[in-house]
Amino acid sequence: MGSGMSKTLRATCENGVVTAENTTIQEARVLSSGIGASQGVVILDDERADYIPDTTSDLEETIDQTIALAEAAAEGLSATSSAIGVVGAEAGVAAPALAALQVPIDLAASSLEDVAAALEELKGRLK
Amino acid sequence: MRIVVRHGHFAFYSGFEGDIFRFCDYFSTNLVRENDYYTFPNLQGLPRYSIKGKKYGNFTASKNFEGPAPWDVMKANGIVYDVAGAALVPKANFAVRADPKLVEGFYLSATSILQPGALTKAGRRIVSYDGFLIEGLWQLRLNGFGYE
């Protein structure tokens, strides 16, 4: 016999153990992996207790890490392209031949910069 | 004064001025205001949810439960209010007998306050009832019952 209203309590979860109001919520369903420590809410509805984590901060952190990775990779590719140009010129390789090597590398670097920018915009739209 | 017991939870409804006061005086007890009724102090403010292993009033809840009202939580946890002990206890604790007699359209209780959890001769456990306490006679006249 549910009330149709349910009761929501602030809760934490670690290693599958949900805690609210300084008490372990026994028989709570954890609607996440439940392994790492998290904060969220437990919803009591009739005899059910469901724990839902607040994943916003996790998501932001993951996006930040991906942006950093994309930017580092773009930087690395740009450096590689520059190095090819320098070494090739010193070795007397014709410019068209060098360009054929550098263009795809530069395009890849540019794509990664676009990905980083798109993720930055996505992060700004997180509610 | 009307008395409504729901799954072992008491609600007293004033019918005439001063009746709550006279009840408290006669029974040497205290009643407190809760929403639109009066109740025993240890029933005041009980939440409409319980967490297994955590105190619900004086009682350690046996299950997680959320419901519309405190008496729904009491029902889910199998507890009633013990009038003499002023505490929430398992309804199974009671072996006291109660057999209200049908008299002129109502059931007459042998006691002024019928303890929820009491057993009838047929072995049915009364957990809810609805009736009137007649002042002066201090007679409890019941319209009906709810069994577990």
Side-chain angles (χ1 to χ4, degrees):
Chain A
M1 180 186 64
S3 68
M5 286 188 286
S6 74
K7 177 69 180 177
T8 303
L9 303 170
R10 291 205 175 278
T12 59
C13 178
E14 186 166 7
N15 293 324
V17 177
V18 177
T19 303
E21 296 190 345
N22 298 315
T23 303
T24 297
I25 309 296
Q26 302 177 47
E27 299 160 10
R29 287 196 316 163
V30 179
L31 303 181
S32 70
S33 66
I35 298 173
S38 66
Q39 294 185 342
V41 295
V42 64
I43 300 174
L44 296 174
D45 185 6
D46 197 24
E47 294 187 8
R48 280 175 44 175
D50 294 328
Y51 172 76
I52 300 174
D54 175 7
T55 56
T56 304
S57 57
D58 285 349
L59 189 55
E60 279 181 344
E61 194 178 318
T62 301
I63 290 175
D64 280 339
Q65 288 175 354
T66 307
I67 290 171
L69 194 62
E71 287 176 344
E75 214 173 290
L77 286 173
S78 294
T80 302
S81 176
S82 298
I84 288 172
V86 168
V87 170
E90 285 180 0
V93 176
L98 287 177
L101 292 174
Q102 288 176 301
V103 165
I105 294 173
D106 292 339
L107 282 174
S110 178
S111 294
L112 285 169
E113 285 167 359
D114 289 344
V115 165
L119 286 171
E120 197 68 58
E121 189 193 335
L122 175 65
K123 198 176 78 169
R125 285 191 274 116
L126 283 178
K127 293 186 174 54
Chain B
M1 175 194 297
R2 184 178 174 210
I3 300 179
V4 178
V5 173
R6 303 175 182 93
H7 301 298
H9 179 283
F10 280 81
F12 299 86
Y13 295 86
S14 174
F16 298 97
E17 69 276 9
D19 56 0
I20 296 293
F21 173 83
R22 289 187 294 275
F23 174 92
C24 293
D25 184 53
Y26 182 80
F27 290 101
S28 300
T29 188
N30 188 30
L31 294 179
V32 293
R33 186 69 185 267
E34 177 90 326
N35 298 323
D36 64 342
Y37 58 85
Y38 292 80
T39 189
F40 294 108
N42 287 341
L43 291 177
Q44 186 184 40
L46 287 177
R48 59 177 185 83
Y49 67 96
S50 63
I51 295 174
K52 184 176 179 179
K54 184 179 163 91
K55 288 292 190 188
Y56 186 78
N58 64 280
F59 182 79
T60 300
S62 59
K63 59 185 356 178
N64 298 324
F65 185 82
E66 174 276 338
W71 44 87
D72 297 299
V73 181
M74 290 170 63
K75 177 185 177 184
N77 281 273
I79 56 179
V80 296
Y81 184 74
D82 177 3
V83 178
L88 294 171
V89 300
K91 60 188 175 185
N93 281 12
F94 294 97
V96 62
R97 285 278 302 276
D99 285 294
K101 300 286 185 283
L102 182 60
V103 175
E104 295 178 2
F106 58 84
Y107 293 88
L108 182 61
S109 171
T111 55
S112 301
I113 300 290
L114 199 162
Q115 171 62 48
L119 292 165
T120 66
K121 190 162 57 177
R124 303 185 76 181
R125 193 178 298 281
I126 297 173
V127 292
S128 303
Y129 57 84
D130 184 348
F132 291 87
L133 187 63
I134 308 302
E135 256 191 87
L137 296 174
W138 301 109
Q139 202 177 66
L140 182 61
R141 299 181 180 182
L142 303 170
N143 291 321
F145 311 93
Y147 303 100
E148 68 174 352

